[in-house]
Amino acid sequence: MSMRFTTKARRGMVVLTTAAVLAVGVAGCGGGGDDDKQPKASTSASKEKGSDPSAQENQAEEPLTELKGPGGLLLTITSAVRDSGGFLTVGGEMKNDGSEVAIVPAQLSGNESEIIRNGRSLGGATLVDSKGKKRYYVLRDTDGRPLTTTNFPNLKSGESLPVFMQFPAPPSATTEVSVQLPMFASGTIQISG
């Protein structure tokens, strides 16, 4: 009987210790970092310009490309920014240009079961570097979720929503890539940064 009690006590201590370590780790990774500084800088920058902040304030005014899809869907890509961490973030908006309610097709998620399991997304998007002869797929986190906009609602006529996709960055010499998305026309974009 005492051996059973000792085993249960050890398990309890292991669980308690693990929970404490995870809590400290999450607290250490959580707030107060560079993320807190970024919104303040963009807020003050927008005040200096005299404009109201918007979801697409950091994106180019002219679209880089527009991809037409089924049911009146239009994906307008307004930014493709390479960052120092080796990532390329593509941003824009998905708009319903049709007269009916548009359902964002499940095929945009691609055909990988790991991505499909996480709901509708832009996980099927790819970038093609024709000069370097390489294809880049949407990045995934450690749980297999695609680093894109996910769980799209149905879009009413004229309605739009901001979207993003994150890819591994092509070499710095590559400044132009083609964006491909299932069921949409492809388009070419210029990479900045």
Side-chain angles (χ1 to χ4, degrees), residues 84-104:
S84 60
F87 304 112
L88 176 71
T89 303
V90 176
E93 77 173 8
M94 180 78 72
K95 182 177 182 180
N96 179 359
D97 255 359
S99 58
E100 304 284 324
V101 173
I103 299 171
V104 177

Side-chain angles (χ1 to χ4, degrees), residues 73 101-110 115-124 146 148-155 161:
L73 289 174
V101 173
I103 299 171
V104 177
Q107 289 89 339
L108 298 183
S109 299
I115 291 180
I116 293 171
R117 185 177 19 206
N118 291 294
R120 288 186 287 173
S121 70
L122 300 176
T148 71
T149 305
T150 58
N151 297 321
F152 288 96
N154 294 340
L155 296 174
L161 61 104

Side-chain angles (χ1 to χ4, degrees), residues 4-15:
R4 219 182 264 173
F5 177 75
T6 305
T7 303
K8 284 185 179 182
R10 282 185 191 156
R11 282 188 201 148
M13 288 302 293
V14 169
V15 169

Side-chain angles (χ1 to χ4, degrees), residues 32-111:
D34 291 334
D35 294 340
D36 291 340
K37 295 176 187 174
Q38 183 64 23
K40 292 175 187 172
S42 66
T43 302
S44 63
S46 66
K47 287 180 183 175
E48 291 171 7
K49 293 180 198 173
S51 67
D52 294 328
S54 70
Q56 297 183 8
E57 187 167 79
N58 295 330
Q59 298 175 355
E61 290 182 16
E62 289 293 316
L64 298 176
T65 191
E66 291 183 338
L67 311 177
K68 292 185 180 186
L73 289 174
L74 179 67
L75 176 62
T76 303
I77 296 177
T78 55
S79 67
V81 180
R82 186 189 323 259
D83 70 15
S84 60
F87 304 112
L88 176 71
T89 303
V90 176
E93 77 173 8
M94 180 78 72
K95 182 177 182 180
N96 179 359
D97 255 359
S99 58
E100 304 284 324
V101 173
I103 299 171
V104 177
Q107 289 89 339
L108 298 183
S109 299
N111 58 7

